[in-house]
PDB file of all heavy atoms in Angstrom:
ATOM      1  N   SER A   1      -7.894   6.265  10.318  1.00  0.00           N
ATOM      2  CA  SER A   1      -7.490   7.602  10.752  1.00  0.00           C
ATOM      3  C   SER A   1      -6.396   7.445  11.801  1.00  0.00           C
ATOM      4  O   SER A   1      -6.621   6.867  12.863  1.00  0.00           O
ATOM      5  CB  SER A   1      -8.675   8.377  11.325  1.00  0.00           C
ATOM      6  OG  SER A   1      -8.284   9.678  11.703  1.00  0.00           O
ATOM      7  N   LYS A   2      -5.186   7.957  11.484  1.00  0.00           N
ATOM      8  CA  LYS A   2      -4.050   7.797  12.383  1.00  0.00           C
ATOM      9  C   LYS A   2      -3.180   9.052  12.378  1.00  0.00           C
ATOM     10  O   LYS A   2      -3.196   9.825  11.424  1.00  0.00           O
ATOM     11  CB  LYS A   2      -3.182   6.601  11.958  1.00  0.00           C
ATOM     12  CG  LYS A   2      -3.839   5.245  12.113  1.00  0.00           C
ATOM     13  CD  LYS A   2      -2.867   4.138  11.757  1.00  0.00           C
ATOM     14  CE  LYS A   2      -3.482   2.761  11.987  1.00  0.00           C
ATOM     15  NZ  LYS A   2      -2.514   1.674  11.676  1.00  0.00           N
ATOM     16  N   THR A   3      -2.416   9.224  13.454  1.00  0.00           N
ATOM     17  CA  THR A   3      -1.374  10.252  13.524  1.00  0.00           C
ATOM     18  C   THR A   3      -0.044   9.532  13.476  1.00  0.00           C
ATOM     19  O   THR A   3       0.245   8.699  14.341  1.00  0.00           O
ATOM     20  CB  THR A   3      -1.494  11.087  14.809  1.00  0.00           C
ATOM     21  OG1 THR A   3      -2.768  11.742  14.829  1.00  0.00           O
ATOM     22  CG2 THR A   3      -0.396  12.138  14.858  1.00  0.00           C
ATOM     23  N   LEU A   4       0.762   9.861  12.441  1.00  0.00           N
ATOM     24  CA  LEU A   4       1.972   9.101  12.184  1.00  0.00           C
ATOM     25  C   LEU A   4       3.195  10.012  12.102  1.00  0.00           C
ATOM     26  O   LEU A   4       3.092  11.162  11.664  1.00  0.00           O
ATOM     27  CB  LEU A   4       1.827   8.325  10.866  1.00  0.00           C
ATOM     28  CG  LEU A   4       0.669   7.318  10.821  1.00  0.00           C
ATOM     29  CD1 LEU A   4       0.462   6.807   9.420  1.00  0.00           C
ATOM     30  CD2 LEU A   4       0.955   6.154  11.767  1.00  0.00           C
ATOM     31  N   PRO A   5       4.365   9.496  12.501  1.00  0.00           N
ATOM     32  CA  PRO A   5       5.586  10.307  12.452  1.00  0.00           C
ATOM     33  C   PRO A   5       6.098  10.468  11.015  1.00  0.00           C
ATOM     34  O   PRO A   5       5.976   9.557  10.194  1.00  0.00           O
ATOM     35  CB  PRO A   5       6.581   9.510  13.298  1.00  0.00           C
ATOM     36  CG  PRO A   5       6.102   8.096  13.187  1.00  0.00           C
ATOM     37  CD  PRO A   5       4.602   8.167  13.082  1.00  0.00           C
ATOM     38  N   VAL A   6       6.676  11.633  10.746  1.00  0.00           N
ATOM     39  CA  VAL A   6       7.287  11.892   9.440  1.00  0.00           C
ATOM     40  C   VAL A   6       8.663  11.234   9.403  1.00  0.00           C
ATOM     41  O   VAL A   6       9.427  11.301  10.369  1.00  0.00           O
ATOM     42  CB  VAL A   6       7.423  13.405   9.189  1.00  0.00           C
ATOM     43  CG1 VAL A   6       8.151  13.668   7.876  1.00  0.00           C
ATOM     44  CG2 VAL A   6       6.062  14.053   9.181  1.00  0.00           C
ATOM     45  N   ARG A   7       8.977  10.612   8.264  1.00  0.00           N
ATOM     46  CA  ARG A   7      10.291  10.006   8.073  1.00  0.00           C
ATOM     47  C   ARG A   7      11.015  10.733   6.946  1.00  0.00           C
ATOM     48  O   ARG A   7      10.432  10.977   5.884  1.00  0.00           O
ATOM     49  CB  ARG A   7      10.174   8.521   7.752  1.00  0.00           C
ATOM     50  CG  ARG A   7       9.496   7.701   8.839  1.00  0.00           C
ATOM     51  CD  ARG A   7       9.428   6.243   8.422  1.00  0.00           C
ATOM     52  NE  ARG A   7      10.758   5.672   8.322  1.00  0.00           N
ATOM     53  CZ  ARG A   7      11.047   4.619   7.551  1.00  0.00           C
ATOM     54  NH1 ARG A   7      10.111   4.067   6.794  1.00  0.00           N
ATOM     55  NH2 ARG A   7      12.279   4.149   7.506  1.00  0.00           N
ATOM     56  N   LEU A   8      12.277  11.079   7.195  1.00  0.00           N
ATOM     57  CA  LEU A   8      13.129  11.707   6.179  1.00  0.00           C
ATOM     58  C   LEU A   8      14.128  10.665   5.709  1.00  0.00           C
ATOM     59  O   LEU A   8      14.905  10.141   6.507  1.00  0.00           O
ATOM     60  CB  LEU A   8      13.862  12.920   6.764  1.00  0.00           C
ATOM     61  CG  LEU A   8      12.994  13.985   7.438  1.00  0.00           C
ATOM     62  CD1 LEU A   8      13.880  15.113   7.961  1.00  0.00           C
ATOM     63  CD2 LEU A   8      11.955  14.537   6.473  1.00  0.00           C
ATOM     64  N   LEU A   9      14.099  10.356   4.396  1.00  0.00           N
ATOM     65  CA  LEU A   9      14.936   9.287   3.865  1.00  0.00           C
ATOM     66  C   LEU A   9      15.830   9.801   2.753  1.00  0.00           C
ATOM     67  O   LEU A   9      15.427  10.653   1.957  1.00  0.00           O
ATOM     68  CB  LEU A   9      14.073   8.137   3.330  1.00  0.00           C
ATOM     69  CG  LEU A   9      13.053   7.522   4.295  1.00  0.00           C
ATOM     70  CD1 LEU A   9      12.254   6.440   3.594  1.00  0.00           C
ATOM     71  CD2 LEU A   9      13.746   6.962   5.531  1.00  0.00           C
ATOM     72  N   ASP A  10      17.051   9.250   2.686  1.00  0.00           N
ATOM     73  CA  ASP A  10      17.938   9.595   1.582  1.00  0.00           C
ATOM     74  C   ASP A  10      17.674   8.660   0.410  1.00  0.00           C
ATOM     75  O   ASP A  10      16.732   7.849   0.442  1.00  0.00           O
ATOM     76  CB  ASP A  10      19.405   9.556   2.016  1.00  0.00           C
ATOM     77  CG  ASP A  10      19.857   8.160   2.454  1.00  0.00           C
ATOM     78  OD1 ASP A  10      19.161   7.174   2.160  1.00  0.00           O
ATOM     79  OD2 ASP A  10      20.920   8.065   3.107  1.00  0.00           O
ATOM     80  N   GLU A  11      18.496   8.773  -0.625  1.00  0.00           N
ATOM     81  CA  GLU A  11      18.262   7.995  -1.849  1.00  0.00           C
ATOM     82  C   GLU A  11      18.324   6.499  -1.600  1.00  0.00           C
ATOM     83  O   GLU A  11      17.649   5.716  -2.267  1.00  0.00           O
ATOM     84  CB  GLU A  11      19.292   8.398  -2.905  1.00  0.00           C
ATOM     85  CG  GLU A  11      18.953   7.932  -4.306  1.00  0.00           C
ATOM     86  CD  GLU A  11      19.813   8.602  -5.359  1.00  0.00           C
ATOM     87  OE1 GLU A  11      20.795   9.276  -4.989  1.00  0.00           O
ATOM     88  OE2 GLU A  11      19.500   8.473  -6.549  1.00  0.00           O
ATOM     89  N   ALA A  12      19.114   6.076  -0.627  1.00  0.00           N
ATOM     90  CA  ALA A  12      19.253   4.655  -0.307  1.00  0.00           C
ATOM     91  C   ALA A  12      18.195   4.172   0.676  1.00  0.00           C
ATOM     92  O   ALA A  12      18.171   2.994   1.033  1.00  0.00           O
ATOM     93  CB  ALA A  12      20.647   4.379   0.249  1.00  0.00           C
ATOM     94  N   GLY A  13      17.313   5.070   1.117  1.00  0.00           N
ATOM     95  CA  GLY A  13      16.272   4.688   2.058  1.00  0.00           C
ATOM     96  C   GLY A  13      16.685   4.755   3.512  1.00  0.00           C
ATOM     97  O   GLY A  13      15.975   4.253   4.389  1.00  0.00           O
ATOM     98  N   ASN A  14      17.825   5.378   3.784  1.00  0.00           N
ATOM     99  CA  ASN A  14      18.291   5.520   5.162  1.00  0.00           C
ATOM    100  C   ASN A  14      17.704   6.783   5.797  1.00  0.00           C
ATOM    101  O   ASN A  14      17.472   7.777   5.113  1.00  0.00           O
ATOM    102  CB  ASN A  14      19.818   5.587   5.200  1.00  0.00           C
ATOM    103  CG  ASN A  14      20.459   4.349   4.612  1.00  0.00           C
ATOM    104  OD1 ASN A  14      20.062   3.234   4.923  1.00  0.00           O
ATOM    105  ND2 ASN A  14      21.453   4.534   3.759  1.00  0.00           N
ATOM    106  N   GLU A  15      17.503   6.721   7.118  1.00  0.00           N
ATOM    107  CA  GLU A  15      16.971   7.869   7.840  1.00  0.00           C
ATOM    108  C   GLU A  15      17.982   9.016   7.840  1.00  0.00           C
ATOM    109  O   GLU A  15      19.184   8.804   8.025  1.00  0.00           O
ATOM    110  CB  GLU A  15      16.653   7.475   9.280  1.00  0.00           C
ATOM    111  CG  GLU A  15      15.567   6.416   9.428  1.00  0.00           C
ATOM    112  CD  GLU A  15      14.166   7.013   9.425  1.00  0.00           C
ATOM    113  OE1 GLU A  15      14.062   8.256   9.410  1.00  0.00           O
ATOM    114  OE2 GLU A  15      13.198   6.228   9.443  1.00  0.00           O
ATOM    115  N   VAL A  16      17.477  10.232   7.626  1.00  0.00           N
ATOM    116  CA  VAL A  16      18.310  11.434   7.689  1.00  0.00           C
ATOM    117  C   VAL A  16      17.966  12.173   8.975  1.00  0.00           C
ATOM    118  O   VAL A  16      16.795  12.470   9.243  1.00  0.00           O
ATOM    119  CB  VAL A  16      18.080  12.342   6.470  1.00  0.00           C
ATOM    120  CG1 VAL A  16      18.943  13.600   6.575  1.00  0.00           C
ATOM    121  CG2 VAL A  16      18.383  11.596   5.176  1.00  0.00           C
ATOM    122  N   THR A  17      18.982  12.463   9.786  1.00  0.00           N
ATOM    123  CA  THR A  17      18.767  13.144  11.064  1.00  0.00           C
ATOM    124  C   THR A  17      19.407  14.528  11.033  1.00  0.00           C
ATOM    125  O   THR A  17      20.056  14.907  10.065  1.00  0.00           O
ATOM    126  CB  THR A  17      19.361  12.316  12.217  1.00  0.00           C
ATOM    127  OG1 THR A  17      20.765  12.132  11.980  1.00  0.00           O
ATOM    128  CG2 THR A  17      18.696  10.947  12.309  1.00  0.00           C
ATOM    129  N   GLY A  18      19.223  15.265  12.124  1.00  0.00           N
ATOM    130  CA  GLY A  18      19.832  16.577  12.244  1.00  0.00           C
ATOM    131  C   GLY A  18      19.072  17.677  11.533  1.00  0.00           C
ATOM    132  O   GLY A  18      19.634  18.730  11.230  1.00  0.00           O
ATOM    133  N   ILE A  19      17.787  17.450  11.255  1.00  0.00           N
ATOM    134  CA  ILE A  19      16.954  18.443  10.569  1.00  0.00           C
ATOM    135  C   ILE A  19      15.771  18.792  11.465  1.00  0.00           C
ATOM    136  O   ILE A  19      15.126  17.908  12.046  1.00  0.00           O
ATOM    137  CB  ILE A  19      16.452  17.913   9.214  1.00  0.00           C
ATOM    138  CG1 ILE A  19      17.642  17.692   8.265  1.00  0.00           C
ATOM    139  CG2 ILE A  19      15.453  18.878   8.579  1.00  0.00           C
ATOM    140  CD1 ILE A  19      17.258  17.099   6.933  1.00  0.00           C
ATOM    141  N   GLN A  20      15.493  20.078  11.557  1.00  0.00           N
ATOM    142  CA  GLN A  20      14.344  20.535  12.346  1.00  0.00           C
ATOM    143  C   GLN A  20      13.104  20.556  11.462  1.00  0.00           C
ATOM    144  O   GLN A  20      13.133  21.021  10.325  1.00  0.00           O
ATOM    145  CB  GLN A  20      14.627  21.937  12.885  1.00  0.00           C
ATOM    146  CG  GLN A  20      13.475  22.528  13.698  1.00  0.00           C
ATOM    147  CD  GLN A  20      13.766  23.946  14.151  1.00  0.00           C
ATOM    148  OE1 GLN A  20      14.922  24.374  14.136  1.00  0.00           O
ATOM    149  NE2 GLN A  20      12.745  24.670  14.542  1.00  0.00           N
ATOM    150  N   LEU A  21      11.984  20.039  11.981  1.00  0.00           N
ATOM    151  CA  LEU A  21      10.710  19.999  11.260  1.00  0.00           C
ATOM    152  C   LEU A  21       9.683  20.855  11.987  1.00  0.00           C
ATOM    153  O   LEU A  21       9.625  20.856  13.213  1.00  0.00           O
ATOM    154  CB  LEU A  21      10.186  18.563  11.162  1.00  0.00           C
ATOM    155  CG  LEU A  21      10.921  17.604  10.221  1.00  0.00           C
ATOM    156  CD1 LEU A  21      10.399  16.197  10.423  1.00  0.00           C
ATOM    157  CD2 LEU A  21      10.743  18.035   8.792  1.00  0.00           C
ATOM    158  N   ASP A  22       8.855  21.561  11.203  1.00  0.00           N
ATOM    159  CA  ASP A  22       7.790  22.323  11.855  1.00  0.00           C
ATOM    160  C   ASP A  22       6.667  21.413  12.332  1.00  0.00           C
ATOM    161  O   ASP A  22       5.927  21.759  13.247  1.00  0.00           O
ATOM    162  CB  ASP A  22       7.248  23.412  10.909  1.00  0.00           C
ATOM    163  CG  ASP A  22       6.542  22.827   9.694  1.00  0.00           C
ATOM    164  OD1 ASP A  22       6.884  21.699   9.281  1.00  0.00           O
ATOM    165  OD2 ASP A  22       5.655  23.502   9.138  1.00  0.00           O
ATOM    166  N   ASN A  23       6.543  20.227  11.716  1.00  0.00           N
ATOM    167  CA  ASN A  23       5.557  19.227  12.157  1.00  0.00           C
ATOM    168  C   ASN A  23       6.216  17.858  12.130  1.00  0.00           C
ATOM    169  O   ASN A  23       6.619  17.377  11.052  1.00  0.00           O
ATOM    170  CB  ASN A  23       4.320  19.221  11.252  1.00  0.00           C
ATOM    171  CG  ASN A  23       3.411  20.397  11.505  1.00  0.00           C
ATOM    172  OD1 ASN A  23       2.731  20.465  12.508  1.00  0.00           O
ATOM    173  ND2 ASN A  23       3.423  21.352  10.577  1.00  0.00           N
ATOM    174  N   ARG A  24       6.319  17.239  13.280  1.00  0.00           N
ATOM    175  CA  ARG A  24       6.912  15.911  13.360  1.00  0.00           C
ATOM    176  C   ARG A  24       5.901  14.804  13.100  1.00  0.00           C
ATOM    177  O   ARG A  24       6.273  13.665  12.793  1.00  0.00           O
ATOM    178  CB  ARG A  24       7.529  15.697  14.744  1.00  0.00           C
ATOM    179  CG  ARG A  24       8.828  16.431  14.958  1.00  0.00           C
ATOM    180  CD  ARG A  24       9.970  15.744  14.253  1.00  0.00           C
ATOM    181  NE  ARG A  24      11.210  16.505  14.311  1.00  0.00           N
ATOM    182  CZ  ARG A  24      12.326  16.136  13.716  1.00  0.00           C
ATOM    183  NH1 ARG A  24      12.341  15.031  13.002  1.00  0.00           N
ATOM    184  NH2 ARG A  24      13.416  16.870  13.803  1.00  0.00           N
ATOM    185  N   ASN A  25       4.611  15.114  13.222  1.00  0.00           N
ATOM    186  CA  ASN A  25       3.564  14.114  13.044  1.00  0.00           C
ATOM    187  C   ASN A  25       2.526  14.615  12.046  1.00  0.00           C
ATOM    188  O   ASN A  25       2.250  15.818  11.968  1.00  0.00           O
ATOM    189  CB  ASN A  25       2.887  13.784  14.377  1.00  0.00           C
ATOM    190  CG  ASN A  25       3.861  13.148  15.360  1.00  0.00           C
ATOM    191  OD1 ASN A  25       4.344  12.051  15.128  1.00  0.00           O
ATOM    192  ND2 ASN A  25       4.147  13.840  16.447  1.00  0.00           N
ATOM    193  N   ILE A  26       1.966  13.670  11.285  1.00  0.00           N
ATOM    194  CA  ILE A  26       0.983  13.976  10.249  1.00  0.00           C
ATOM    195  C   ILE A  26      -0.296  13.200  10.548  1.00  0.00           C
ATOM    196  O   ILE A  26      -0.262  12.012  10.888  1.00  0.00           O
ATOM    197  CB  ILE A  26       1.508  13.577   8.855  1.00  0.00           C
ATOM    198  CG1 ILE A  26       2.792  14.336   8.522  1.00  0.00           C
ATOM    199  CG2 ILE A  26       0.454  13.824   7.783  1.00  0.00           C
ATOM    200  CD1 ILE A  26       2.617  15.816   8.363  1.00  0.00           C
ATOM    201  N   ASN A  27      -1.438  13.872  10.410  1.00  0.00           N
ATOM    202  CA  ASN A  27      -2.727  13.195  10.530  1.00  0.00           C
ATOM    203  C   ASN A  27      -3.075  12.564   9.181  1.00  0.00           C
ATOM    204  O   ASN A  27      -3.128  13.256   8.161  1.00  0.00           O
ATOM    205  CB  ASN A  27      -3.812  14.182  10.947  1.00  0.00           C
ATOM    206  CG  ASN A  27      -3.568  14.758  12.332  1.00  0.00           C
ATOM    207  OD1 ASN A  27      -3.140  14.041  13.231  1.00  0.00           O
ATOM    208  ND2 ASN A  27      -3.825  16.047  12.499  1.00  0.00           N
ATOM    209  N   VAL A  28      -3.298  11.263   9.199  1.00  0.00           N
ATOM    210  CA  VAL A  28      -3.570  10.509   7.969  1.00  0.00           C
ATOM    211  C   VAL A  28      -4.987   9.946   8.020  1.00  0.00           C
ATOM    212  O   VAL A  28      -5.367   9.286   8.986  1.00  0.00           O
ATOM    213  CB  VAL A  28      -2.561   9.355   7.790  1.00  0.00           C
ATOM    214  CG1 VAL A  28      -2.882   8.561   6.521  1.00  0.00           C
ATOM    215  CG2 VAL A  28      -1.137   9.900   7.735  1.00  0.00           C
ATOM    216  N   SER A  29      -5.745  10.220   6.947  1.00  0.00           N
ATOM    217  CA  SER A  29      -7.101   9.675   6.834  1.00  0.00           C
ATOM    218  C   SER A  29      -7.213   8.938   5.499  1.00  0.00           C
ATOM    219  O   SER A  29      -6.954   9.522   4.445  1.00  0.00           O
ATOM    220  CB  SER A  29      -8.135  10.800   6.901  1.00  0.00           C
ATOM    221  OG  SER A  29      -9.446  10.290   6.718  1.00  0.00           O
ATOM    222  N   ILE A  30      -7.569   7.647   5.555  1.00  0.00           N
ATOM    223  CA  ILE A  30      -7.699   6.821   4.341  1.00  0.00           C
ATOM    224  C   ILE A  30      -9.101   6.237   4.296  1.00  0.00           C
ATOM    225  O   ILE A  30      -9.429   5.334   5.073  1.00  0.00           O
ATOM    226  CB  ILE A  30      -6.666   5.683   4.319  1.00  0.00           C
ATOM    227  CG1 ILE A  30      -5.248   6.241   4.468  1.00  0.00           C
ATOM    228  CG2 ILE A  30      -6.786   4.888   3.025  1.00  0.00           C
ATOM    229  CD1 ILE A  30      -4.176   5.176   4.500  1.00  0.00           C
ATOM    230  N   PRO A  31      -9.964   6.725   3.388  1.00  0.00           N
ATOM    231  CA  PRO A  31     -11.299   6.138   3.252  1.00  0.00           C
ATOM    232  C   PRO A  31     -11.209   4.726   2.660  1.00  0.00           C
ATOM    233  O   PRO A  31     -10.388   4.464   1.778  1.00  0.00           O
ATOM    234  CB  PRO A  31     -12.008   7.093   2.289  1.00  0.00           C
ATOM    235  CG  PRO A  31     -11.188   8.346   2.296  1.00  0.00           C
ATOM    236  CD  PRO A  31      -9.784   7.907   2.547  1.00  0.00           C
ATOM    237  N   ILE A  32     -12.027   3.827   3.151  1.00  0.00           N
ATOM    238  CA  ILE A  32     -12.124   2.453   2.639  1.00  0.00           C
ATOM    239  C   ILE A  32     -13.489   2.290   1.990  1.00  0.00           C
ATOM    240  O   ILE A  32     -14.516   2.646   2.582  1.00  0.00           O
ATOM    241  CB  ILE A  32     -11.944   1.416   3.750  1.00  0.00           C
ATOM    242  CG1 ILE A  32     -10.604   1.639   4.480  1.00  0.00           C
ATOM    243  CG2 ILE A  32     -12.019   0.010   3.196  1.00  0.00           C
ATOM    244  CD1 ILE A  32      -9.388   1.433   3.629  1.00  0.00           C
ATOM    245  N   SER A  33     -13.513   1.754   0.748  1.00  0.00           N
ATOM    246  CA  SER A  33     -14.773   1.697   0.003  1.00  0.00           C
ATOM    247  C   SER A  33     -14.914   0.371  -0.731  1.00  0.00           C
ATOM    248  O   SER A  33     -13.941  -0.388  -0.880  1.00  0.00           O
ATOM    249  CB  SER A  33     -14.816   2.868  -1.003  1.00  0.00           C
ATOM    250  OG  SER A  33     -15.973   2.800  -1.806  1.00  0.00           O
TER     251      SER A  33
END
């Protein structure tokens, strides 16, 4: 369970800047079984 930053990437995998996000961080939960 982690809170991680959102990444915006173009087709080449480069970071895209200059965009406003309503949520900069996402809560991630990964069950292990």
Side-chain angles (χ1 to χ4, degrees):
S1 182
K2 293 184 177 182
T3 299
L4 300 170
V6 176
R7 300 180 65 205
L8 306 180
L9 305 178
D10 63 16
E11 195 167 10
N14 301 314
E15 297 275 355
V16 179
T17 59
I19 295 177
Q20 179 183 343
L21 288 171
D22 66 332
N23 285 287
R24 285 284 173 183
N25 296 295
I26 300 294
N27 296 320
V28 179
S29 177
I30 305 178
I32 304 296
S33 176

